[in-house]
Amino acid sequence: MTGPGVTPDENWRIIDDGVHDEPTHHALDDVLIERLDDGEMAPTIRFWYRTGPAVPIGRFQAYADEVADEYVRDHDIDVVRRITGGGAMYAEPGAVITYSIYLPRAAVSDDIERSYERLNRWAIDALRDLGLAAVHEPLNDIAHEDGKIGGAAQLRRSNAVLHHVTMSYALDIEAMLRTLRIGEEKLSDKAVTSAEKRVTRIADYVAEDREAVIDHLKDEFRTTYGGEEGSLTDDELTTAKRRAETTFRTDEWNKRL
C-alpha cells in the first residue's frame, strides 16, 4: 500500500461500525470508490458487519452456476453480485471477517500480482502476530499450509482502487457446501472433511474471539499506515441505501449472467 500518494501520515479513516444487509454493503463499495475517485473522500478502510448469511458472487460469474438456488431461497440467503471479479463465497454474520480498502490509484502497483501481495501484507502480519502462520498465495489469497484463509478482489477506477477481503473466522463448512454449487455432490462426512482441508478457519488456530482479531487488524493497520476511527457520513449511507434498492437488490443486477 505504500507508494506515491499513500504514506503512514495519510489521513486514513477507519470505519468499524454499522450493521447492514448484503446489498447495502456492496452499494457502499460502489459509492465509496466513486467518492474517492472523484476526490471527495479520504482513503478509507471499512469493516463489514452483516445482518444475515450471504453469497457475494463475482461480477462476471453466472448466478445459476454458483449457488444452489432452491437452498438459498429456502434459507433467506442473500446472493449479491459484487462490483469486483473473482469467485463466489459463502459468508455468515460472526463467522467471517470482511473489510474493504479504498485508496488512491497512484498508490497501487500496476503489477496486479504485486498489488495483491502488498495490499494483503499488513493483514498477514496481524494474523502472524496472533500465532496463525498466514502467507500470501498468488494471485490473491491469504493462506495457511492447511488451506485457504481468505481471498481478495479488486476494482480499479481512474484515480481509485477498491481492495476487499473476506477471511473465514469460524465458517460453517457444511452450510457452505449446501449453499454453493460445489456442494451439490452428496453431502457426506468425506465431502465436509475435504472442504475443511481447503478452508482454514482462523478460530481453529487463534484463541482470540472475532472481535479481538478485528481489533488486532485495526491496530496493525494503524501502526503501519496511521488513521483515525470514523464513521460513514449520512450522505454516504443514504446514497448507498438508495443504490442498493435500484441496483444491488435487483434481479437485473444479481442474475444478469
Side-chain angles (χ1 to χ4, degrees), residues 114-165:
R114 185 181 182 202
S115 74
Y116 275 112
E117 193 280 330
R118 293 180 73 181
L119 289 165
N120 284 341
R121 175 52 52 193
W122 67 274
I124 289 170
D125 288 345
L127 293 176
R128 294 181 72 89
D129 285 346
L130 291 169
L132 176 55
V135 296
H136 174 75
E137 186 171 280
L139 174 67
N140 58 338
D141 287 345
I142 296 173
H144 179 272
E145 63 179 8
D146 292 338
K148 178 177 174 178
I149 299 169
Q154 291 183 5
L155 175 67
R156 297 178 178 221
R157 297 273 175 88
S158 297
N159 302 307
V161 172
L162 161 66
H163 177 92
H164 55 192
V165 171

Short mmCIF file of all heavy atoms in Angstrom, two decimals, residues 114-165:
data_model
loop_
_atom_site.label_atom_id
_atom_site.label_comp_id
_atom_site.label_asym_id
_atom_site.label_seq_id
_atom_site.Cartn_x
_atom_site.Cartn_y
_atom_site.Cartn_z
N ARG A 114 1.64 -8.18 -7.77
CA ARG A 114 2.38 -7.47 -6.73
C ARG A 114 1.43 -6.64 -5.87
O ARG A 114 1.60 -6.54 -4.65
CB ARG A 114 3.44 -6.58 -7.37
CG ARG A 114 4.35 -5.90 -6.36
CD ARG A 114 5.37 -5.03 -7.05
NE ARG A 114 6.27 -4.41 -6.07
CZ ARG A 114 6.96 -3.31 -6.30
NH1 ARG A 114 6.84 -2.70 -7.47
NH2 ARG A 114 7.75 -2.81 -5.38
N SER A 115 0.42 -6.05 -6.48
CA SER A 115 -0.50 -5.20 -5.71
C SER A 115 -1.28 -6.02 -4.69
O SER A 115 -1.49 -5.58 -3.56
CB SER A 115 -1.47 -4.48 -6.64
OG SER A 115 -2.47 -5.34 -7.16
N TYR A 116 -1.69 -7.23 -5.05
CA TYR A 116 -2.39 -8.08 -4.08
C TYR A 116 -1.48 -8.43 -2.91
O TYR A 116 -1.90 -8.39 -1.75
CB TYR A 116 -2.89 -9.37 -4.76
CG TYR A 116 -4.22 -9.23 -5.45
CD1 TYR A 116 -4.32 -9.29 -6.83
CD2 TYR A 116 -5.38 -9.04 -4.72
CE1 TYR A 116 -5.54 -9.17 -7.48
CE2 TYR A 116 -6.61 -8.91 -5.35
CZ TYR A 116 -6.68 -8.98 -6.73
OH TYR A 116 -7.89 -8.85 -7.36
N GLU A 117 -0.24 -8.78 -3.23
CA GLU A 117 0.69 -9.15 -2.16
C GLU A 117 0.91 -7.98 -1.21
O GLU A 117 0.89 -8.15 0.02
CB GLU A 117 2.02 -9.60 -2.78
CG GLU A 117 2.96 -10.31 -1.80
CD GLU A 117 3.73 -9.34 -0.92
OE1 GLU A 117 4.00 -8.21 -1.36
OE2 GLU A 117 4.05 -9.71 0.23
N ARG A 118 1.09 -6.79 -1.75
CA ARG A 118 1.36 -5.63 -0.90
C ARG A 118 0.14 -5.22 -0.10
O ARG A 118 0.24 -4.84 1.07
CB ARG A 118 1.85 -4.47 -1.76
CG ARG A 118 3.21 -4.74 -2.39
CD ARG A 118 3.70 -3.59 -3.24
NE ARG A 118 4.13 -2.47 -2.41
CZ ARG A 118 4.59 -1.32 -2.92
NH1 ARG A 118 4.65 -1.15 -4.23
NH2 ARG A 118 4.99 -0.35 -2.12
N LEU A 119 -1.04 -5.30 -0.71
CA LEU A 119 -2.25 -4.88 -0.02
C LEU A 119 -2.71 -5.90 1.02
O LEU A 119 -3.47 -5.57 1.93
CB LEU A 119 -3.36 -4.60 -1.03
CG LEU A 119 -3.15 -3.34 -1.87
CD1 LEU A 119 -4.08 -3.31 -3.07
CD2 LEU A 119 -3.36 -2.09 -1.01
N ASN A 120 -2.25 -7.14 0.89
CA ASN A 120 -2.57 -8.17 1.89
C ASN A 120 -1.54 -8.23 3.02
O ASN A 120 -1.79 -8.86 4.04
CB ASN A 120 -2.64 -9.55 1.24
CG ASN A 120 -3.92 -9.77 0.45
OD1 ASN A 120 -4.91 -9.07 0.64
ND2 ASN A 120 -3.89 -10.75 -0.45
N ARG A 121 -0.39 -7.58 2.85
CA ARG A 121 0.73 -7.79 3.76
C ARG A 121 0.41 -7.43 5.20
O ARG A 121 0.75 -8.16 6.12
CB ARG A 121 1.95 -7.00 3.25
CG ARG A 121 3.17 -7.04 4.15
CD ARG A 121 3.60 -8.45 4.53
NE ARG A 121 3.74 -9.32 3.36
CZ ARG A 121 3.85 -10.63 3.44
NH1 ARG A 121 3.82 -11.23 4.63
NH2 ARG A 121 3.98 -11.35 2.34
N TRP A 122 -0.21 -6.29 5.45
CA TRP A 122 -0.46 -5.86 6.82
C TRP A 122 -1.39 -6.84 7.54
O TRP A 122 -1.20 -7.12 8.73
CB TRP A 122 -1.05 -4.44 6.86
CG TRP A 122 -2.43 -4.38 6.27
CD1 TRP A 122 -2.76 -4.22 4.96
CD2 TRP A 122 -3.66 -4.52 6.98
NE1 TRP A 122 -4.13 -4.26 4.80
CE2 TRP A 122 -4.70 -4.44 6.02
CE3 TRP A 122 -3.99 -4.71 8.33
CZ2 TRP A 122 -6.05 -4.53 6.37
CZ3 TRP A 122 -5.33 -4.81 8.67
CH2 TRP A 122 -6.34 -4.71 7.70
N ALA A 123 -2.39 -7.38 6.83
CA ALA A 123 -3.32 -8.33 7.45
C ALA A 123 -2.61 -9.64 7.75
O ALA A 123 -2.85 -10.27 8.81
CB ALA A 123 -4.52 -8.57 6.53
N ILE A 124 -1.74 -10.08 6.85
CA ILE A 124 -0.96 -11.28 7.09
C ILE A 124 -0.07 -11.09 8.32
O ILE A 124 0.03 -11.98 9.18
CB ILE A 124 -0.14 -11.64 5.85
CG1 ILE A 124 -1.07 -12.14 4.74
CG2 ILE A 124 0.94 -12.68 6.17
CD1 ILE A 124 -0.40 -12.30 3.39
N ASP A 125 0.55 -9.93 8.43
CA ASP A 125 1.39 -9.65 9.60
C ASP A 125 0.56 -9.71 10.88
O ASP A 125 1.02 -10.23 11.91
CB ASP A 125 2.04 -8.28 9.47
CG ASP A 125 3.14 -8.25 8.41
OD1 ASP A 125 3.59 -9.33 7.98
OD2 ASP A 125 3.52 -7.13 8.00
N ALA A 126 -0.66 -9.17 10.84
CA ALA A 126 -1.52 -9.20 12.03
C ALA A 126 -1.88 -10.62 12.42
O ALA A 126 -1.85 -10.98 13.61
CB ALA A 126 -2.80 -8.39 11.77
N LEU A 127 -2.20 -11.46 11.46
CA LEU A 127 -2.54 -12.85 11.75
C LEU A 127 -1.33 -13.60 12.30
O LEU A 127 -1.45 -14.42 13.22
CB LEU A 127 -3.08 -13.54 10.50
CG LEU A 127 -4.42 -13.03 9.97
CD1 LEU A 127 -4.78 -13.73 8.66
CD2 LEU A 127 -5.54 -13.23 11.00
N ARG A 128 -0.18 -13.33 11.75
CA ARG A 128 1.04 -13.99 12.23
C ARG A 128 1.35 -13.56 13.67
O ARG A 128 1.80 -14.38 14.49
CB ARG A 128 2.21 -13.70 11.31
CG ARG A 128 2.05 -14.32 9.92
CD ARG A 128 3.24 -14.05 9.02
NE ARG A 128 4.38 -14.83 9.43
CZ ARG A 128 4.64 -16.07 9.00
NH1 ARG A 128 3.83 -16.65 8.14
NH2 ARG A 128 5.71 -16.72 9.43
N ASP A 129 1.08 -12.30 13.99
CA ASP A 129 1.26 -11.84 15.37
C ASP A 129 0.36 -12.60 16.34
O ASP A 129 0.69 -12.76 17.52
CB ASP A 129 0.96 -10.35 15.47
CG ASP A 129 2.07 -9.49 14.89
OD1 ASP A 129 3.17 -10.01 14.65
OD2 ASP A 129 1.82 -8.29 14.67
N LEU A 130 -0.79 -13.05 15.86
CA LEU A 130 -1.74 -13.80 16.69
C LEU A 130 -1.41 -15.29 16.74
O LEU A 130 -2.10 -16.06 17.42
CB LEU A 130 -3.17 -13.61 16.16
CG LEU A 130 -3.76 -12.21 16.34
CD1 LEU A 130 -5.05 -12.07 15.54
CD2 LEU A 130 -4.01 -11.92 17.81
N GLY A 131 -0.40 -15.71 16.02
CA GLY A 131 0.02 -17.10 16.07
C GLY A 131 -0.42 -17.95 14.90
O GLY A 131 -0.17 -19.16 14.88
N LEU A 132 -1.07 -17.33 13.90
CA LEU A 132 -1.51 -18.07 12.72
C LEU A 132 -0.50 -17.84 11.60
O LEU A 132 -0.29 -16.71 11.16
CB LEU A 132 -2.91 -17.60 12.29
CG LEU A 132 -3.49 -18.19 11.01
CD1 LEU A 132 -3.50 -19.71 11.06
CD2 LEU A 132 -4.90 -17.66 10.77
N ALA A 133 0.13 -18.90 11.14
CA ALA A 133 1.21 -18.78 10.15
C ALA A 133 0.63 -18.52 8.76
O ALA A 133 0.63 -19.38 7.88
CB ALA A 133 2.06 -20.04 10.15
N ALA A 134 0.12 -17.31 8.57
CA ALA A 134 -0.50 -16.93 7.32
C ALA A 134 0.56 -16.52 6.31
O ALA A 134 1.63 -16.01 6.66
CB ALA A 134 -1.47 -15.77 7.54
N VAL A 135 0.24 -16.74 5.02
CA VAL A 135 1.13 -16.34 3.93
C VAL A 135 0.27 -15.81 2.79
O VAL A 135 -0.93 -16.07 2.71
CB VAL A 135 1.97 -17.53 3.41
CG1 VAL A 135 2.91 -18.03 4.50
CG2 VAL A 135 1.08 -18.66 2.89
N HIS A 136 0.93 -15.05 1.91
CA HIS A 136 0.27 -14.64 0.67
C HIS A 136 0.44 -15.75 -0.36
O HIS A 136 1.56 -16.26 -0.57
CB HIS A 136 0.88 -13.35 0.13
CG HIS A 136 0.34 -12.97 -1.22
ND1 HIS A 136 -0.91 -12.43 -1.38
CD2 HIS A 136 0.89 -13.05 -2.46
CE1 HIS A 136 -1.12 -12.20 -2.67
NE2 HIS A 136 -0.04 -12.57 -3.33
N GLU A 137 -0.65 -16.15 -1.00
CA GLU A 137 -0.60 -17.18 -2.03
C GLU A 137 -1.14 -16.58 -3.33
O GLU A 137 -2.32 -16.25 -3.41
CB GLU A 137 -1.43 -18.40 -1.61
CG GLU A 137 -1.30 -19.57 -2.56
CD GLU A 137 -1.96 -20.81 -1.99
OE1 GLU A 137 -1.35 -21.48 -1.14
OE2 GLU A 137 -3.12 -21.10 -2.40
N PRO A 138 -0.28 -16.40 -4.32
CA PRO A 138 -0.72 -15.76 -5.56
C PRO A 138 -1.88 -16.53 -6.20
O PRO A 138 -1.96 -17.75 -6.07
CB PRO A 138 0.53 -15.83 -6.44
CG PRO A 138 1.67 -15.96 -5.48
CD PRO A 138 1.13 -16.76 -4.34
N LEU A 139 -2.82 -15.88 -6.83
CA LEU A 139 -2.74 -14.46 -7.11
C LEU A 139 -3.22 -13.60 -5.94
O LEU A 139 -2.65 -12.54 -5.65
CB LEU A 139 -3.59 -14.17 -8.37
CG LEU A 139 -3.78 -12.75 -8.80
CD1 LEU A 139 -2.51 -12.10 -9.29
CD2 LEU A 139 -4.88 -12.69 -9.87
N ASN A 140 -4.27 -14.02 -5.27
CA ASN A 140 -4.96 -13.07 -4.39
C ASN A 140 -5.41 -13.66 -3.06
O ASN A 140 -6.31 -13.12 -2.42
CB ASN A 140 -6.19 -12.52 -5.11
CG ASN A 140 -7.17 -13.60 -5.55
OD1 ASN A 140 -6.79 -14.76 -5.71
ND2 ASN A 140 -8.42 -13.23 -5.75
N ASP A 141 -4.80 -14.76 -2.62
CA ASP A 141 -5.28 -15.43 -1.41
C ASP A 141 -4.39 -15.15 -0.20
O ASP A 141 -3.18 -14.95 -0.32
CB ASP A 141 -5.35 -16.94 -1.62
CG ASP A 141 -6.50 -17.36 -2.52
OD1 ASP A 141 -7.40 -16.53 -2.74
OD2 ASP A 141 -6.48 -18.51 -3.00
N ILE A 142 -5.02 -15.17 0.96
CA ILE A 142 -4.34 -15.27 2.25
C ILE A 142 -4.51 -16.72 2.70
O ILE A 142 -5.64 -17.21 2.79
CB ILE A 142 -4.93 -14.29 3.27
CG1 ILE A 142 -4.71 -12.85 2.80
CG2 ILE A 142 -4.30 -14.50 4.65
CD1 ILE A 142 -5.40 -11.81 3.67
N ALA A 143 -3.42 -17.40 2.94
CA ALA A 143 -3.49 -18.85 3.12
C ALA A 143 -2.64 -19.31 4.28
O ALA A 143 -1.89 -18.55 4.91
CB ALA A 143 -3.06 -19.55 1.83
N HIS A 144 -2.78 -20.60 4.58
CA HIS A 144 -2.04 -21.32 5.61
C HIS A 144 -1.66 -22.66 4.99
O HIS A 144 -2.29 -23.09 4.01
CB HIS A 144 -2.94 -21.50 6.84
CG HIS A 144 -2.33 -22.22 7.99
ND1 HIS A 144 -2.36 -23.60 8.11
CD2 HIS A 144 -1.66 -21.78 9.08
CE1 HIS A 144 -1.76 -23.96 9.22
NE2 HIS A 144 -1.32 -22.88 9.82
N GLU A 145 -0.69 -23.32 5.53
CA GLU A 145 -0.30 -24.60 4.95
C GLU A 145 -1.45 -25.60 4.94
O GLU A 145 -1.46 -26.55 4.14
CB GLU A 145 0.90 -25.19 5.70
CG GLU A 145 0.65 -25.53 7.15
CD GLU A 145 1.86 -26.13 7.82
OE1 GLU A 145 2.95 -26.16 7.20
OE2 GLU A 145 1.73 -26.58 8.98
N ASP A 146 -2.46 -25.41 5.81
CA ASP A 146 -3.59 -26.33 5.86
C ASP A 146 -4.73 -25.92 4.93
O ASP A 146 -5.71 -26.67 4.81
CB ASP A 146 -4.12 -26.44 7.29
CG ASP A 146 -3.14 -27.13 8.22
OD1 ASP A 146 -2.28 -27.87 7.71
OD2 ASP A 146 -3.22 -26.90 9.44
N GLY A 147 -4.67 -24.74 4.30
CA GLY A 147 -5.74 -24.35 3.40
C GLY A 147 -5.89 -22.84 3.29
O GLY A 147 -5.13 -22.07 3.89
N LYS A 148 -6.88 -22.43 2.55
CA LYS A 148 -7.13 -21.02 2.28
C LYS A 148 -7.84 -20.36 3.46
O LYS A 148 -8.84 -20.86 3.96
CB LYS A 148 -8.00 -20.89 1.02
CG LYS A 148 -8.39 -19.48 0.64
CD LYS A 148 -9.18 -19.49 -0.66
CE LYS A 148 -9.72 -18.12 -1.01
NZ LYS A 148 -10.44 -18.13 -2.31
N ILE A 149 -7.31 -19.22 3.90
CA ILE A 149 -7.95 -18.43 4.96
C ILE A 149 -8.95 -17.46 4.36
O ILE A 149 -10.06 -17.27 4.86
CB ILE A 149 -6.90 -17.65 5.76
CG1 ILE A 149 -5.92 -18.61 6.43
CG2 ILE A 149 -7.57 -16.73 6.79
CD1 ILE A 149 -4.69 -17.91 7.02
N GLY A 150 -8.57 -16.82 3.26
CA GLY A 150 -9.45 -15.84 2.65
C GLY A 150 -8.94 -15.42 1.28
O GLY A 150 -7.85 -15.80 0.86
N GLY A 151 -9.77 -14.65 0.60
CA GLY A 151 -9.42 -14.19 -0.73
C GLY A 151 -9.72 -12.71 -0.89
O GLY A 151 -10.59 -12.16 -0.20
N ALA A 152 -8.99 -12.08 -1.80
CA ALA A 152 -9.16 -10.67 -2.08
C ALA A 152 -9.66 -10.49 -3.51
O ALA A 152 -9.49 -11.36 -4.37
CB ALA A 152 -7.84 -9.92 -1.90
N ALA A 153 -10.27 -9.33 -3.75
CA ALA A 153 -10.67 -8.94 -5.10
C ALA A 153 -10.50 -7.44 -5.22
O ALA A 153 -10.52 -6.72 -4.22
CB ALA A 153 -12.12 -9.34 -5.38
N GLN A 154 -10.32 -6.97 -6.44
CA GLN A 154 -10.06 -5.55 -6.66
C GLN A 154 -10.93 -4.98 -7.78
O GLN A 154 -11.38 -5.70 -8.67
CB GLN A 154 -8.59 -5.30 -7.05
CG GLN A 154 -7.59 -5.52 -5.95
CD GLN A 154 -6.17 -5.19 -6.39
OE1 GLN A 154 -5.94 -4.71 -7.50
NE2 GLN A 154 -5.22 -5.46 -5.51
N LEU A 155 -11.11 -3.67 -7.70
CA LEU A 155 -11.68 -2.89 -8.79
C LEU A 155 -10.85 -1.63 -8.91
O LEU A 155 -10.55 -0.97 -7.90
CB LEU A 155 -13.14 -2.52 -8.51
CG LEU A 155 -13.79 -1.59 -9.55
CD1 LEU A 155 -13.94 -2.31 -10.89
CD2 LEU A 155 -15.15 -1.11 -9.05
N ARG A 156 -10.49 -1.27 -10.15
CA ARG A 156 -9.67 -0.09 -10.38
C ARG A 156 -10.46 0.92 -11.20
O ARG A 156 -11.04 0.58 -12.23
CB ARG A 156 -8.37 -0.47 -11.09
CG ARG A 156 -7.51 -1.39 -10.23
CD ARG A 156 -6.23 -1.83 -10.92
NE ARG A 156 -5.46 -2.66 -9.99
CZ ARG A 156 -4.15 -2.60 -9.83
NH1 ARG A 156 -3.44 -1.76 -10.57
NH2 ARG A 156 -3.55 -3.36 -8.96
N ARG A 157 -10.47 2.14 -10.70
CA ARG A 157 -11.04 3.27 -11.44
C ARG A 157 -9.91 4.20 -11.85
O ARG A 157 -8.74 3.93 -11.57
CB ARG A 157 -12.06 4.00 -10.56
CG ARG A 157 -13.27 3.13 -10.16
CD ARG A 157 -14.35 3.19 -11.22
NE ARG A 157 -15.46 2.30 -10.92
CZ ARG A 157 -16.51 2.62 -10.17
NH1 ARG A 157 -16.56 3.81 -9.58
NH2 ARG A 157 -17.50 1.76 -9.99
N SER A 158 -10.22 5.32 -12.46
CA SER A 158 -9.19 6.22 -12.95
C SER A 158 -8.23 6.67 -11.85
O SER A 158 -7.02 6.68 -12.02
CB SER A 158 -9.83 7.46 -13.59
OG SER A 158 -10.60 7.08 -14.72
N ASN A 159 -8.80 7.04 -10.68
CA ASN A 159 -8.00 7.60 -9.60
C ASN A 159 -8.09 6.82 -8.29
O ASN A 159 -7.58 7.27 -7.27
CB ASN A 159 -8.42 9.05 -9.32
CG ASN A 159 -8.30 9.93 -10.55
OD1 ASN A 159 -7.26 9.99 -11.18
ND2 ASN A 159 -9.40 10.59 -10.91
N ALA A 160 -8.76 5.68 -8.29
CA ALA A 160 -9.01 4.97 -7.03
C ALA A 160 -9.01 3.46 -7.25
O ALA A 160 -9.29 2.97 -8.36
CB ALA A 160 -10.35 5.41 -6.44
N VAL A 161 -8.72 2.74 -6.18
CA VAL A 161 -8.75 1.28 -6.18
C VAL A 161 -9.56 0.81 -4.98
O VAL A 161 -9.41 1.33 -3.87
CB VAL A 161 -7.33 0.69 -6.12
CG1 VAL A 161 -7.36 -0.83 -5.93
CG2 VAL A 161 -6.54 1.04 -7.38
N LEU A 162 -10.41 -0.16 -5.21
CA LEU A 162 -11.09 -0.91 -4.14
C LEU A 162 -10.40 -2.26 -4.02
O LEU A 162 -10.24 -2.97 -5.00
CB LEU A 162 -12.56 -1.11 -4.48
CG LEU A 162 -13.29 -2.22 -3.70
CD1 LEU A 162 -13.39 -1.89 -2.22
CD2 LEU A 162 -14.68 -2.46 -4.30
N HIS A 163 -9.97 -2.58 -2.80
CA HIS A 163 -9.38 -3.88 -2.50
C HIS A 163 -10.15 -4.44 -1.31
O HIS A 163 -10.09 -3.87 -0.22
CB HIS A 163 -7.90 -3.71 -2.13
CG HIS A 163 -7.20 -4.99 -1.73
ND1 HIS A 163 -6.52 -5.79 -2.63
CD2 HIS A 163 -7.07 -5.61 -0.53
CE1 HIS A 163 -6.00 -6.82 -2.00
NE2 HIS A 163 -6.32 -6.74 -0.72
N HIS A 164 -10.94 -5.50 -1.53
CA HIS A 164 -11.65 -6.05 -0.38
C HIS A 164 -11.34 -7.52 -0.18
O HIS A 164 -10.97 -8.24 -1.11
CB HIS A 164 -13.16 -5.79 -0.44
CG HIS A 164 -13.87 -6.25 -1.67
ND1 HIS A 164 -15.16 -5.88 -1.96
CD2 HIS A 164 -13.49 -7.07 -2.67
CE1 HIS A 164 -15.53 -6.44 -3.09
NE2 HIS A 164 -14.54 -7.17 -3.53
N VAL A 165 -11.46 -7.94 1.09
CA VAL A 165 -11.01 -9.26 1.53
C VAL A 165 -12.09 -9.87 2.42
O VAL A 165 -12.68 -9.18 3.25
CB VAL A 165 -9.69 -9.15 2.33
CG1 VAL A 165 -9.32 -10.48 2.98
CG2 VAL A 165 -8.55 -8.66 1.44
#
